[in-house]
Amino acid sequence: RIEHDYREMKQALGLAHFEGRTWGGWHHHVTLVSAAHAFCTLQRLARDPKDTAQDRASTK
């Protein structure tokens, strides 16, 4: 789950797009990406509340 979430944050939400930012700009960027990730996670869990790391691990 962690690797999937990291890929989602990096590719879909733009976590890696921080080049050339000041410390304050980087902090603002990462805060917004984190909030967007939390929103996406809540939406995913609302669609399928049984979708947990433990459930996925047991199906592999």
Side-chain angles (χ1 to χ4, degrees):
R1 182 76 236 178
I2 293 170
E3 289 178 16
H4 176 269
D5 286 352
Y6 177 71
R7 274 193 311 272
E8 178 184 43
M9 290 177 73
K10 188 173 179 181
Q11 295 170 354
L13 302 176
L15 180 63
H17 302 153
F18 60 85
E19 295 87 6
R21 297 180 191 266
T22 62
W23 165 251
W26 175 85
H27 189 273
H28 183 256
H29 176 71
V30 171
T31 300
L32 291 177
V33 169
S34 298
H37 179 260
F39 177 79
C40 291
T41 298
L42 291 173
Q43 293 297 306
R44 179 180 50 82
L45 292 175
R47 284 189 311 268
D48 188 8
K50 295 180 182 178
D51 184 21
T52 64
Q54 185 178 12
D55 292 337
R56 279 190 309 284
S58 65
T59 62
K60 288 184 178 181

